Amino acid sequence: MLSGDSSHVVVGVSGGIAAYKAVNVVRLLKKTGLDVWVVPTANALRMVGAATWEAVSGHPVYTDPFDGAEDVAHVLLGSKAKAFLLVPATANVIGKLANGIADDMLSTTVLSATCPIMVAPAMHHQMWTNPAVKDNISRLKKRGIHFIGPVSGELTSGDSGIGRLAEPEEIVDSFLSLLNSLDDYSLRGKHVVVTAGGTREPLDPVRFLGNYSSGRQGVEIARAAYLAGAEVTLVDVNLEVPAPAGVNLVKAHTALELQEVLNNLFQDLDILVMTAAVADYRPAIVADSKLKKSQNHLSQIELIENPDILAGLGKLPRENKILVGFAAETAGGQLGIEYARKKILEKQTDILVYNQVGHGRGFGEVTNHVCILDSDGSIMVESSGSKQDLAKLIISNIACFKK
Ligand code: CTP
């Protein structure tokens, strides 16, 4: 299960010109849902100011071990971290790390850290190939410190060679795999398909029948699954919130389109999380041109039933696949749970997440209350909180789920 601090990571930034690229690294890590704390050196702040680090990380930055001395901030930050990323790491900071020198906030924090450390060096190629630096690097590698880059390419001095910082996306991917290798709740090697949003059933070229689902909970589930190491395909069903980084995106607008997408994906998925709110009915006729009020076309709309996509998939042979349904109910309490249990039987889900919707609950909101039920209808866990935190809870329960 996820513990309270499982998403806390520290990014140390030293004073190389590539410090500006670390802004993007922090931004991308934040997008995956991690709680990122930045510790820049005084020289890093000459490249990128504290206000930028605070804005991208959402936390204050300390550069002096005497800042926040009452809380012993360097020990607290280092010891709470699940992993530490040094980006960019200059020859100087690598030298300090190799020799246990602790003379500023970054070097004291990294020395207090007991978690895995990843270093992304950036320096001129003559410094990188200097025997002193090579010696420091090999000592750090022997101590189990992970390295990403540097790569060959154009350097700030105008010439080129090895020493350039690896690309931010590459650094983030390596750091995430390091994180995922630590977790018991890892979904490494699994293909997770998440559907998120609400279907829109067209009536004519300008109107549709829809629902209030924004897709936020599904997007957070896709993000949490990616963070847990899965390959994630997010089926974007008219999403009103941005999709997370790192996932494959497929679009579907209507229930029939969603059914077709899932029929194509079903064979190759390990876990399906069906968060999308699907319209149970669609207009029997979709007009080619705008329906006119004057011609009384809109006072009655004939509807036909949509297929129950999840129930259909639930009937297929599924081997080790895990099917996760959602039950959106306006009913709360025991009645809501009873409706949810009925859906487990109808749809043959392995896990069903019941959440109450309507009247300022569920749809479109940032927070949610969920009750996670297994295939017997027993409550596995019940919790309230941000959709991001609940997504991690749902994903950790799926990862630990044994049929
Ligand atoms: N679902 C589906 N196909 C449908 C309707 C719903 O696959 N035509 C899926 C949803 O994605 C969700 C689960 O079934 O995972 C339950 O959806 P919900 O809207 O709560 O329930 P319904 O089955 O539509 O039943 P009701 O509207 O009576 O509550």
Side-chain angles (χ1 to χ4, degrees), residues 21-94:
K21 291 191 184 171
V23 175
N24 209 17
V25 171
V26 173
R27 200 180 58 78
L28 293 170
L29 289 175
K30 280 279 290 181
K31 267 181 100 179
T32 66
L34 286 168
D35 184 22
V36 186
W37 291 75
V38 180
V39 183
T41 60
N43 280 339
L45 291 180
R46 295 170 69 175
M47 310 289 177
V48 180
T52 302
W53 299 118
E54 291 181 345
V56 286
S57 70
H59 291 302
V61 297
Y62 305 102
T63 48
D64 185 335
F66 296 98
D67 287 343
E70 65 283 10
D71 301 326
V72 207
H74 62 286
V75 177
L76 209 67
L77 274 177
S79 56
K80 273 182 74 180
K82 189 168 185 209
F84 203 114
L85 175 64
L86 212 49
V87 53
T90 57
N92 180 46
V93 96
I94 288 172

Side-chain angles (χ1 to χ4, degrees), residues 53-274:
W53 299 118
E54 291 181 345
V56 286
S57 70
H59 291 302
V61 297
Y62 305 102
T63 48
D64 185 335
F66 296 98
D67 287 343
E70 65 283 10
D71 301 326
V72 207
H74 62 286
V75 177
L76 209 67
L77 274 177
S79 56
K80 273 182 74 180
K82 189 168 185 209
F84 203 114
L85 175 64
L86 212 49
V87 53
T90 57
N92 180 46
V93 96
I94 288 172
K96 285 193 201 176
L97 197 55
N99 292 287
I101 295 171
D103 63 350
D104 63 2
M105 185 67 186
L106 175 55
S107 49
T108 47
T109 308
V110 82
L111 221 59
S112 314
T114 50
C115 60
I117 297 170
M118 179 170 275
V119 175
M123 64 194 77
H124 191 263
H125 67 89
Q126 279 167 6
M127 294 172 83
W128 176 250
T129 49
N130 182 291
V133 175
K134 280 165 89 174
D135 186 45
N136 286 336
I137 304 259
S138 89
R139 282 158 65 201
L140 289 174
K141 283 188 175 165
K142 277 190 202 131
R143 275 188 230 149
I145 307 260
H146 304 262
F147 279 80
I148 167 80
V151 294
S152 280
E154 207 177 305
L155 302 170
T156 320
S157 51
D159 49 357
S160 56
I162 183 149
R164 203 179 141 86
L165 186 74
E167 286 307 315
E169 291 77 9
E170 208 185 321
I171 295 172
V172 168
D173 284 353
S174 296
F175 190 61
L176 290 178
S177 1
L178 173 65
L179 279 171
N180 291 329
S181 67
L182 311 173
D183 296 327
D184 328 333
Y185 58 90
S186 169
L187 288 176
R188 258 188 327 278
K190 304 284 183 206
H191 181 202
V192 178
V193 174
V194 183
T195 67
T199 57
R200 292 180 177 181
E201 306 297 335
L203 207 56
D204 68 13
V206 296
R207 301 184 182 91
F208 60 83
L209 300 182
N211 57 67
Y212 288 121
S213 176
S214 63
R216 194 186 302 276
Q217 185 67 78
V219 161
E220 293 303 340
I221 289 172
R223 196 194 308 280
Y226 175 69
L227 202 60
E231 186 202 335
V232 179
T233 300
L234 175 63
V235 188
D236 167 351
V237 189
N238 310 300
L239 282 179
E240 286 173 14
V241 290
V247 305
N248 311 312
L249 276 176
V250 184
K251 276 186 183 290
H253 301 98
T254 64
L256 291 182
E257 281 175 23
L258 180 59
Q259 185 182 41
E260 193 184 340
V261 165
L262 290 177
N263 282 344
N264 291 334
L265 288 170
F266 194 72
Q267 190 64 29
D268 289 330
L269 63 81
D270 298 296
I271 298 162
L272 171 65
V273 188
M274 195 70 183

Side-chain angles (χ1 to χ4, degrees), residues 274-276 278-280 306-310 325-329 343 347:
M274 195 70 183
T275 324
V278 184
D280 294 317
N306 271 330
D308 187 323
I309 305 167
L310 188 55
F326 265 68
E329 306 292 350
K343 286 182 186 171
K347 299 169 198 263

Side-chain angles (χ1 to χ4, degrees), residues 329 332-344 354 373:
E329 306 292 350
Q334 209 42 43
L335 183 61
I337 300 271
E338 284 319 312
Y339 285 152
R341 287 189 173 130
K342 218 167 138 252
K343 286 182 186 171
I344 296 172
Y354 152 65
L373 305 164

